Amino acid sequence: MADKQGDSGSESDSTDEPVVGNVNKFAVVPPNYTGKPRKGHLIFDACFESGNLGRVDYITETEYDLFIRPDTCNPRFRVWFNFIVENVKSDQRVIFNIVNFSKTKSLYRDGMTPMIKSTSRPKWVRIPSKYVYYYRCPDHRKNYVMSFAFVFDREEDVYQFAYCYPYSYTRLQNYLDNLERRNYDFFTRELLCLSVQQRRLDLITIASPNICAKENDKLKTILITARVHPGETPASFVCQGIIDFLVSNHPIAKILRDHLVFKIVPMLNPDGVYLGNYRCSLMGFDLNRHWQEPSPWAHPTLYATKNLLMELDRNEKHDMDFYIDLHAHSTLMNGFMYGNIYDDPERYERQSVFPKLLCSNAEDFSLTNTNFNRDAVKAGTGRRTLGSCLDESHCYTLEVSFFSYQTNTTGQSMPYTEEAYMKLGRNVARTFLDYYKLVGYISIKPSSGLTPKPSSQLSRSQEKYHSSEKSSSEPLFKSQGENVSANKSDKKTDRLGRKSS
């Protein structure tokens, strides 16, 4: 989430006890219990890539308080969670309370629920909303708590819970390795720099060799970045949707490659992603507040990306036309954009064109939530900083909800899936054709109204990186989950019953 001053809700800098580091195969047993954990003594683990769970407190045999580990070197941000539970008993009923969110405003108020998968059912699904409660809790300083009831149905399974669909650094590297092996003549992958922990900052260029060989014409260049905030995983799915489309055989993709140069930095904060942070880098920096003067040692990925932009802007061969930074939003629905306010009225009017065209192509894109501002608090963001540095470029933040969208036609609320996020990315890519036809830069057909089917864009080798979408016919939820609260004490029933208004 990159913009809108009030969108983050209140943030708390303190918890009852500091939470440092992730739990590592931590067995939660009853008080005064000794000996090895028995079946049903839950074992929690978050010591894996993009994992986050800092502490677990035993409340009763059916209830546990869970504490999010704050971002490294920054206790303010406690939102993202991603953890594993094992050593369960068949039909074991539990209530998990996540008690130390740093935000009060949340899509949990609007029906958002945690994600769940298990070893035998590897497709991520949302826990049904009737099992999830979001409320002020008197037992935790009246902070907001998200509680959910769940039934572990298979003893042999390992269960994983997450705030949203995970998209790890390793997943990105595997995806890019696969693309690189195809030896497309229009696709190049470069190492822009290494992060503080020596992870890759990849730069992807997608453009036809023919356009790059032109000597006299300036190349219309588009830069897209994602995951400056590591917990905003939907941004990676949107970014992959853009790349998938641009490298596909779809006629629109071929026209775009023949006329435009796409530069894509798919993961600006690889260390934060790997560590399981929500908003910050390894050193505790919110990188999207440091675009004005990034440090080569503290913010190396930002420093390298900004230098790339400035070089492209100075390069007589390139015409830097668009900069779009991909984010996810924790309090609003749909996809939407933030843009800048400029003193030049013509430039201000021009930048409203692309969001309007995108709205006509993407049923989940909202013009109502789209706005243009000059908020001083956001002066260090990519959109604001580059909007002032790149005199002729259109600079946007593209936001997409962590939870759901309402369609432009029916108004029906639809939870986002991985595929729906990637579809928004494909629609962003297609909209560039409409824009450049409108301004007269591209004068040939087809129209972006030719909606591509996902199967027409992805080869078999690409599709394997959508393996998390594989479904199982057996659900993760049993009807007796509705009765979990009946096993709790009166005090805990009261806690769970306090829904947010």
Side-chain angles (χ1 to χ4, degrees), residues 314-353:
R314 291 190 296 266
N315 191 327
E316 294 183 358
K317 183 75 174 173
H318 288 272
D319 182 4
M320 275 304 303
D321 226 15
F322 279 86
Y323 169 70
I324 301 178
D325 191 23
L326 307 179
H327 287 256
H329 208 283
S330 66
T331 63
L332 294 178
M333 305 292 194
N334 292 73
F336 54 95
M337 279 181 152
Y338 292 116
N340 297 316
I341 294 176
Y342 300 106
D343 294 330
D344 179 359
E346 183 183 352
R347 186 182 183 191
Y348 180 54
E349 289 297 323
R350 279 203 318 269
Q351 71 162 345
S352 68
V353 174

Side-chain angles (χ1 to χ4, degrees), residues 1 3-10 104-105 329 331 375 378:
M1 182 163 55
D3 290 279
K4 200 169 184 179
Q5 186 171 3
D7 62 6
S8 60
S10 65
T104 57
K105 293 182 179 180
H329 208 283
T331 63
D375 188 346
K378 311 300 180 182

Side-chain angles (χ1 to χ4, degrees), residues 285-297:
F285 294 108
D286 180 347
L287 295 182
N288 205 36
R289 297 297 181 271
H290 291 275
W291 279 94
Q292 289 174 318
E293 294 185 15
S295 161
W297 66 270

Side-chain angles (χ1 to χ4, degrees), residues 227-375:
R227 292 299 284 284
V228 70
H229 292 149
E232 296 177 6
T233 57
S236 280
F237 292 103
V238 175
C239 190
Q240 181 171 322
I242 293 172
I243 297 172
D244 280 345
F245 183 81
L246 291 176
V247 301
S248 74
N249 291 325
H250 195 280
I252 294 174
K254 293 179 180 178
I255 292 171
L256 292 175
R257 294 194 299 262
D258 286 342
H259 290 81
L260 306 169
V261 176
F262 290 88
K263 301 273 186 182
I264 302 173
V265 181
M267 193 169 281
L268 274 170
N269 193 346
D271 290 346
V273 170
Y274 190 91
L275 294 168
N277 287 351
Y278 174 66
R279 196 172 181 92
C280 295
S281 66
L282 166 75
M283 300 173 71
F285 294 108
D286 180 347
L287 295 182
N288 205 36
R289 297 297 181 271
H290 291 275
W291 279 94
Q292 289 174 318
E293 294 185 15
S295 161
W297 66 270
H299 326 114
T301 59
L302 225 60
Y303 182 82
T305 304
K306 186 176 181 181
N307 281 349
L308 168 71
L309 267 164
M310 296 301 100
E311 289 173 10
L312 289 171
D313 189 49
R314 291 190 296 266
N315 191 327
E316 294 183 358
K317 183 75 174 173
H318 288 272
D319 182 4
M320 275 304 303
D321 226 15
F322 279 86
Y323 169 70
I324 301 178
D325 191 23
L326 307 179
H327 287 256
H329 208 283
S330 66
T331 63
L332 294 178
M333 305 292 194
N334 292 73
F336 54 95
M337 279 181 152
Y338 292 116
N340 297 316
I341 294 176
Y342 300 106
D343 294 330
D344 179 359
E346 183 183 352
R347 186 182 183 191
Y348 180 54
E349 289 297 323
R350 279 203 318 269
Q351 71 162 345
S352 68
V353 174
F354 189 86
K356 291 177 181 177
L357 294 172
L358 178 56
C359 186
S360 67
N361 287 329
E363 66 173 1
D364 58 322
F365 187 83
S366 169
L367 279 180
T368 302
N369 289 341
T370 295
N371 70 63
F372 306 93
N373 61 67
R374 194 184 278 169
D375 188 346

